[in-house]
Amino acid sequence: MPAPAKKTSTKNEPAASASSRSDRLDARVLETLVGYNARRAWLIVSGFFAERMAPYGLKQIDFSVLSLLAHNPGATSRQLCTTLDILPPNLVSLVATLDSRGLIERRPHPHDGRAVGLHLTSDGEALVREAEQAVVQLEADASAKLSVRERETLIKLLQKIYL
């Protein structure tokens, strides 16, 4: 098998820059699309999230559920599904997993005898406190190229799409 051709560069241009430019495709149309740009930004943020939440054993959906329960004790599965826009069958296994980890517990709902309220255990409260601090920092790191004002504007604009 022949050896790959060596990349050459000009005097003032590092080899990595030359290869980056030659590998870059014309994405002008894609870069005008909200979905494409949102997805590309999400890939960066989710990479930070996966790395920083691994020690906690949390995926994005786990963190979201725990954070909602931390700030809304006794929320029902239906409320979680509505808020997170997920299907009930998908939440059932997630709740079971969080319960088996000792992070949440089910209690009878005080106003609806058919519903069950979900609450964090003391272990769940401790975990979510630490995880929320880590998420705030990872978000700051992932969006470090934005000013505080730009970050706030970006969040407001994205929320206009889904709220």
Side-chain angles (χ1 to χ4, degrees), residues 106-129:
R106 299 171 175 104
R107 297 184 201 155
H109 194 276
H111 307 297
D112 184 349
R114 299 171 296 160
V116 173
L118 300 172
H119 298 265
L120 294 178
T121 63
S122 58
D123 286 349
E125 288 173 3
L127 178 71
V128 81
R129 268 194 306 274

Side-chain angles (χ1 to χ4, degrees), residues 60-125:
Q60 290 173 338
I61 190 65
D62 304 328
F63 172 78
S64 297
V65 168
L66 293 173
S67 181
L68 284 171
L69 292 177
H71 301 282
N72 304 277
T76 65
S77 293
R78 181 184 54 77
Q79 291 172 311
L80 292 172
C81 286
T82 300
T83 302
L84 297 172
D85 196 21
I86 59 176
L87 297 172
N90 295 337
L91 186 66
V92 170
S93 63
L94 173 61
V95 167
T97 300
L98 295 174
D99 187 20
S100 71
R101 286 182 63 186
L103 301 175
I104 63 171
E105 61 187 8
R106 299 171 175 104
R107 297 184 201 155
H109 194 276
H111 307 297
D112 184 349
R114 299 171 296 160
V116 173
L118 300 172
H119 298 265
L120 294 178
T121 63
S122 58
D123 286 349
E125 288 173 3

Side-chain angles (χ1 to χ4, degrees), residues 6-82:
K6 289 186 178 180
K7 303 219 187 233
T8 59
S9 63
T10 63
K11 281 184 186 178
N12 299 326
E13 181 179 287
S17 294
S19 67
S20 299
R21 242 182 280 137
S22 66
D23 290 344
R24 183 153 166 82
L25 298 176
D26 179 354
R28 285 180 287 187
V29 172
L30 293 175
E31 290 170 352
T32 66
L33 304 174
V34 171
Y36 177 80
N37 286 288
R39 170 78 171 147
R40 293 294 304 264
W42 177 83
L43 288 170
I44 299 299
V45 174
S46 66
F48 275 84
F49 189 96
E51 175 188 316
R52 308 262 180 99
M53 288 295 105
Y56 301 101
L58 297 176
K59 294 181 267 178
Q60 290 173 338
I61 190 65
D62 304 328
F63 172 78
S64 297
V65 168
L66 293 173
S67 181
L68 284 171
L69 292 177
H71 301 282
N72 304 277
T76 65
S77 293
R78 181 184 54 77
Q79 291 172 311
L80 292 172
C81 286
T82 300

